[in-house]
Amino acid sequence: MKLADLTQRAGEWLRGAGPMHDVVISSRARLARNLASQPFLSRCNATQQREIAERLRDEILAAGIAKNVFYVNVAAAGALDRELLVERHLVSRQHAEADHPRGVAISGSETVAIMINEEDHLRIQVLRSGLRLTEAAEEITQIDDRLEQSVEYAFHSKYGYLTACPTNVGTGLRVSVMLHLPALKMTGEIQKVFRAARDMRLAIRGLYGEGTEASGDFFQISNQTTLGKTEQQIVDEFFGQTMPHFIEYERRAREGLMKSQKAAVEDKIHRALSLLRAARLMSSDETMHLLSLVRLGVNLGRLPEIDLRIVNELFLLSQPAHLQRVCGHEMNDQQRAEARAEFIRRRLLQDN
Amino acid sequence: MKLADLTQRAGEWLRGAGPMHDVVISSRARLARNLASQPFLSRCNATQQREIAERLRDEILAAGIAKNVFYVNVAAAGALDRELLVERHLVSRQHAEADHPRGVAISGSETVAIMINEEDHLRIQVLRSGLRLTEAAEEITQIDDRLEQSVEYAFHSKYGYLTACPTNVGTGLRVSVMLHLPALKMTGEIQKVFRAARDMRLAIRGLYGEGTEASGDFFQISNQTTLGKTEQQIVDEFFGQTMPHFIEYERRAREGLMKSQKAAVEDKIHRALSLLRAARLMSSDETMHLLSLVRLGVNLGRLPEIDLRIVNELFLLSQPAHLQRVCGHEMNDQQRAEARAEFIRRRLLQDN
């Protein structure tokens, strides 16, 4: 298994399956951990950074944490490969763009990705399609336990796991879901979602995490507090109390639209699909917008001929680094717009 | 033959055939004539207006001027039927909206239409697809001669045929062509066409004659002077000297676009066709815009599967009165937008 094998398909989390997949794209759990034997990364010298990277790489590969795990030396990877990892949500943008020794271990299905030397020595991520936070949290706990058999983490009896940034201290656990909320966006009710999230001390971001705009129809919602709660409490609150409201709210907005503006919604949906199948030039932004409408159409049962998996994959595979990998050479904006249109057209016509 | 039979098809002039049909939609010749025995229409009383209408109807139907001629009593026709005649270019808007006795005689192929009691007692029109001004002028002269055998026209030995408006005095002949100039519009060079036409004392109008904006990609160009020239001179100048320049200019613009912006032009063309085939709501304006691009695509050889005749017909059949006739009932804006989208979609999918 190597990086180049990834460009023709999407990871498990984009399968378009799992509970509540009409609204929930994916569920993600993330743990921040640091070695007790080394300083936090920002206080390490180059030798220590290299020691951490090599030690953790070896420990992870030896621990048998998941199937078909492979390791990418991010420091040695080319710019396009690093961008590819960001597009696949396997590393953060910060990690891709840093300039110290670092890497990422990835399971074959891409449900597990462990960044080494991001902000913390270890950032363990489990990503699953649909609303599966409990599963994701259970899997991440197993991985954490497995690694802890051979590695001593920095831990404080009162504060819990110690992390480079105080907001992660405690369990070090963050959970998040990626939601598709096109109907709330269309009706303008999305503003209420923002207010509700703020009141519940949840963070809302765009498709690519911290610092990205919550533009388009996709929203990543995550917990902000990790201190003073157990892993179980974090997951239960988020999964059991918060998410059902958001999901229900979007579903009602969809039903409302189909009652009050059926023709207008169907018009948007069918236009979007037809443009994806016909255009000769297509920007990233337009692709996201049109795919979002098609995804809505599939989930409303208006496009029975379209496979949700293909739509989800296109979100990923139509992005710049993926496109360039598929085409086998670097491209400028205009060339990418042409290649993107052709790629999408072929995928959707095959699918028909 | 009656009016209701017309709604399922277009007249000969929209066949998309004839010389230079890539740029020239249709050629039109028009003669203005008045009976010597009656005052101009604006000076007639109601009795005289009725006498003129009945006399000319009988003379035309008896004269055998063309095949399958039928007469529509416009004064007695409903609003929708009158609108239908305007959309088909068989009567002018003024004629449709007047409130005195009047009518129109139409040949089965719709190449000939003779309005009675428009601005003049008679307005004879011959309309042909493509650039066929000479043919149109010959046919209109034959019709004129045939009618003159039984009717005495108002004629002055010095000024020629007398007409209600002095701009038509002389031969009473107007010739015009309907041009499709999408490439000149895209490149912005259309402004040069406007200037050239003004310098040559030609009038440029939109798709529906006097008073309509020359918006969109269709332009009706006509001669403005009829006094002091013979019919032959008018046709020769317009046909032989003026039109070839305009046609050549548009063709060069198309070639230029396909060299310098091939992907962008193909993108526009394929998007337009796909939207026409997919939309669930479609306004008149958007229809015109998209059909214009598809027409360009067919003429550039980019859409070999599309029949130009179908595209030309859709310009006509997607208009409000036609749509309502086809659907069999009156509709508001929203209903028309739905019906239009469905009608276009079916025609274009049948065609495929």
Side-chain angles (χ1 to χ4, degrees):
Chain A
M1 195 77 187
K2 56 188 199 299
L3 200 55
D5 298 334
L6 299 183
T7 54
Q8 291 295 330
R9 56 176 189 86
E12 186 278 342
W13 64 277
L14 269 175
R15 210 151 44 90
M20 319 285 174
H21 66 259
D22 56 326
V23 178
V24 185
I25 305 280
S26 58
S27 302
R28 180 172 168 268
R30 191 220 68 192
L31 278 182
R33 294 288 184 262
N34 289 275
L35 295 175
S37 59
Q38 296 274 14
F40 285 141
L41 196 73
S42 58
R43 316 204 64 173
C44 285
N45 61 33
T47 309
Q48 290 171 311
Q49 290 173 334
R50 194 168 341 101
E51 281 169 9
I52 297 168
E54 288 171 4
R55 159 115 198 263
L56 287 175
R57 176 198 60 200
D58 294 344
E59 295 287 1
I60 292 165
L61 291 176
I65 51 157
K67 281 186 190 164
N68 303 317
V69 174
F70 63 106
Y71 181 80
V72 179
N73 182 341
V74 176
L80 202 58
D81 282 340
R82 283 182 279 130
E83 190 60 31
L84 203 73
L85 291 168
V86 174
E87 289 178 359
R88 295 182 87 81
H89 295 261
L90 295 169
V91 306
S92 64
R93 177 152 302 284
Q94 292 82 338
H95 194 246
E97 292 175 356
D99 58 2
H100 56 260
R102 67 205 187 281
V104 60
I106 302 163
S107 70
S109 65
E110 295 176 66
T111 49
V112 180
I114 307 180
M115 280 186 280
I116 301 174
N117 285 349
E118 210 251 16
E119 190 178 273
D120 297 293
H121 297 163
L122 278 180
R123 284 282 177 98
I124 309 171
Q125 163 182 289
V126 171
L127 198 55
R128 303 299 294 261
S129 58
L131 186 63
R132 291 198 287 195
L133 280 174
T134 308
E135 278 181 52
E138 279 170 10
E139 187 171 359
I140 212 164
T141 303
Q142 284 171 16
I143 293 168
D144 187 40
D145 291 348
R146 186 74 68 99
L147 287 175
E148 213 165 7
Q149 290 172 10
S150 54
V151 167
E152 194 188 344
Y153 289 147
F155 185 83
H156 186 281
S157 57
K158 182 172 172 197
Y159 299 122
Y161 291 98
L162 299 177
T163 53
C165 176
T167 57
N168 291 313
V169 168
T171 61
L173 181 69
R174 283 261 165 113
V175 288
S176 67
V177 289
M178 183 71 71
L179 300 181
H180 184 218
L181 307 177
L184 291 171
K185 193 77 185 287
M186 270 186 216
T187 62
E189 293 167 292
I190 196 71
Q191 292 305 325
K192 292 189 197 164
V193 172
F194 287 137
R195 281 198 295 274
R198 197 187 51 206
D199 293 347
M200 293 188 238
R201 305 194 60 194
L202 300 170
I204 294 206
R205 305 184 181 105
L207 205 46
Y208 282 90
E210 208 147 357
T212 68
E213 281 293 307
S215 62
D217 298 335
F218 295 92
F219 302 90
Q220 185 183 309
I221 303 189
S222 60
N223 67 317
Q224 285 188 293
T225 50
T226 60
L227 189 62
K229 290 181 181 172
T230 65
E231 281 91 340
Q232 195 61 47
Q233 280 174 323
I234 291 171
V235 172
D236 285 353
E237 274 181 23
F238 195 74
F239 176 78
Q241 295 165 33
T242 310
M243 278 307 110
H245 291 299
F246 286 111
I247 294 166
E248 188 55 27
Y249 197 31
E250 166 67 18
R251 284 179 174 171
R252 277 203 206 145
R254 292 182 189 180
E255 280 170 28
L257 280 176
M258 286 306 282
K259 271 185 198 141
S260 65
Q261 299 179 49
K262 187 159 183 280
V265 173
E266 295 207 330
D267 185 56
K268 279 184 209 287
I269 288 168
H270 287 284
R271 282 173 180 251
L273 177 61
S274 80
L275 287 178
L276 289 166
R277 281 178 167 167
R280 262 55 179 173
L281 293 174
M282 183 74 71
S283 71
S284 278
D285 281 355
E286 189 184 12
T287 304
M288 292 294 281
H289 173 66
L290 298 177
L291 284 174
S292 168
L293 287 167
V294 169
R295 196 177 188 284
L296 175 65
V298 173
N299 283 322
L300 287 174
R302 316 315 294 178
L303 300 173
E305 75 276 25
I306 302 294
D307 183 347
L308 197 57
R309 187 181 51 81
I310 301 273
V311 178
N312 280 5
E313 280 188 9
L314 281 175
F315 280 110
L316 183 64
L317 302 178
S318 65
Q319 291 182 74
H322 276 81
L323 264 187
Q324 292 175 80
R325 264 284 168 267
V326 167
C327 295
H329 54 88
E330 293 199 19
M331 294 184 283
N332 62 27
D333 273 7
Q334 161 86 11
Q335 291 167 327
R336 280 209 299 275
E338 279 194 55
R340 182 178 294 112
E342 190 183 342
F343 181 76
I344 293 170
R345 205 164 69 240
R346 290 199 175 173
R347 281 271 164 154
L348 285 174
L349 293 175
Q350 267 173 18
D351 184 42
N352 195 8
Chain B
M1 194 77 185
K2 56 187 199 299
L3 201 55
D5 299 334
L6 298 183
T7 54
Q8 291 294 330
R9 56 176 189 86
E12 186 279 342
W13 65 278
L14 269 175
R15 210 153 44 90
M20 319 285 174
H21 66 259
D22 56 325
V23 178
V24 185
I25 304 279
S26 58
S27 302
R28 179 171 168 269
R30 191 220 69 192
L31 278 181
R33 294 289 184 260
N34 289 276
L35 295 176
S37 58
Q38 296 274 15
F40 287 142
L41 197 72
S42 58
R43 317 204 63 174
C44 285
N45 60 35
T47 309
Q48 290 171 311
Q49 290 172 334
R50 194 169 340 102
E51 282 169 9
I52 296 169
E54 288 171 5
R55 159 117 198 259
L56 287 175
R57 176 198 62 199
D58 294 344
E59 296 287 359
I60 292 166
L61 291 176
I65 51 156
K67 282 187 191 163
N68 302 318
V69 174
F70 63 104
Y71 181 81
V72 179
N73 182 343
V74 176
L80 202 57
D81 282 340
R82 284 181 278 129
E83 190 60 32
L84 202 73
L85 291 168
V86 174
E87 289 178 0
R88 296 182 86 81
H89 295 260
L90 295 170
V91 306
S92 64
R93 178 151 301 285
Q94 293 81 340
H95 193 247
E97 293 175 356
D99 59 1
H100 56 259
R102 66 203 188 281
V104 59
I106 303 164
S107 71
S109 64
E110 294 176 65
T111 50
V112 180
I114 307 180
M115 280 185 280
I116 300 174
N117 285 348
E118 209 251 15
E119 189 179 274
D120 296 292
H121 297 164
L122 278 180
R123 284 282 175 99
I124 309 171
Q125 161 181 291
V126 172
L127 197 55
R128 304 299 294 261
S129 58
L131 186 63
R132 292 198 286 196
L133 280 174
T134 309
E135 278 181 52
E138 280 170 10
E139 188 171 357
I140 212 165
T141 304
Q142 283 171 16
I143 293 168
D144 188 40
D145 291 348
R146 185 74 68 100
L147 288 175
E148 213 165 6
Q149 290 173 9
S150 54
V151 168
E152 194 189 346
Y153 289 147
F155 185 83
H156 185 281
S157 56
K158 183 174 170 192
Y159 301 122
Y161 291 99
L162 299 177
T163 53
C165 177
T167 58
N168 291 313
V169 168
T171 61
L173 180 69
R174 284 261 164 112
V175 289
S176 67
V177 290
M178 183 68 73
L179 300 180
H180 184 218
L181 307 177
L184 291 171
K185 192 78 184 287
M186 270 186 214
T187 62
E189 293 167 292
I190 197 72
Q191 291 305 325
K192 293 187 196 165
V193 172
F194 286 137
R195 281 198 294 275
R198 198 185 51 207
D199 293 347
M200 293 188 239
R201 306 193 60 194
L202 300 170
I204 294 206
R205 305 186 182 102
L207 204 48
Y208 281 91
E210 209 147 358
T212 68
E213 281 293 306
S215 63
D217 299 334
F218 295 91
F219 302 90
Q220 183 182 312
I221 303 188
S222 61
N223 67 316
Q224 285 189 292
T225 50
T226 60
L227 188 61
K229 291 180 182 174
T230 66
E231 282 90 342
Q232 196 62 46
Q233 281 174 322
I234 290 171
V235 173
D236 285 353
E237 275 181 23
F238 195 74
F239 176 77
Q241 295 166 33
T242 310
M243 277 307 110
H245 292 298
F246 287 110
I247 295 166
E248 187 55 28
Y249 197 31
E250 167 66 17
R251 284 179 174 170
R252 278 204 205 142
R254 292 182 189 179
E255 282 169 26
L257 280 176
M258 285 307 282
K259 272 186 195 140
S260 65
Q261 300 178 48
K262 188 159 182 280
V265 173
E266 295 207 332
D267 185 57
K268 279 184 208 288
I269 289 168
H270 287 283
R271 281 173 181 251
L273 178 60
S274 79
L275 287 178
L276 289 166
R277 281 177 167 167
R280 261 55 178 174
L281 292 173
M282 182 74 70
S283 71
S284 278
D285 282 354
E286 189 184 13
T287 304
M288 292 295 282
H289 173 66
L290 297 177
L291 285 173
S292 169
L293 286 166
V294 169
R295 196 178 188 282
L296 175 65
V298 173
N299 283 322
L300 287 174
R302 317 315 295 178
L303 300 173
E305 75 275 25
I306 302 294
D307 183 344
L308 198 56
R309 187 181 50 82
I310 302 274
V311 178
N312 280 5
E313 280 188 8
L314 281 175
F315 280 110
L316 183 65
L317 302 179
S318 64
Q319 291 181 74
H322 276 81
L323 265 187
Q324 291 175 79
R325 262 286 167 267
V326 168
C327 296
H329 54 88
E330 293 199 20
M331 294 183 283
N332 62 26
D333 273 7
Q334 161 87 11
Q335 291 167 327
R336 280 209 299 274
E338 279 194 55
R340 183 179 293 111
E342 189 182 342
F343 181 76
I344 294 170
R345 204 163 69 241
R346 292 200 172 169
R347 281 271 164 153
L348 285 174
L349 293 175
Q350 267 173 16
D351 184 41
N352 196 9

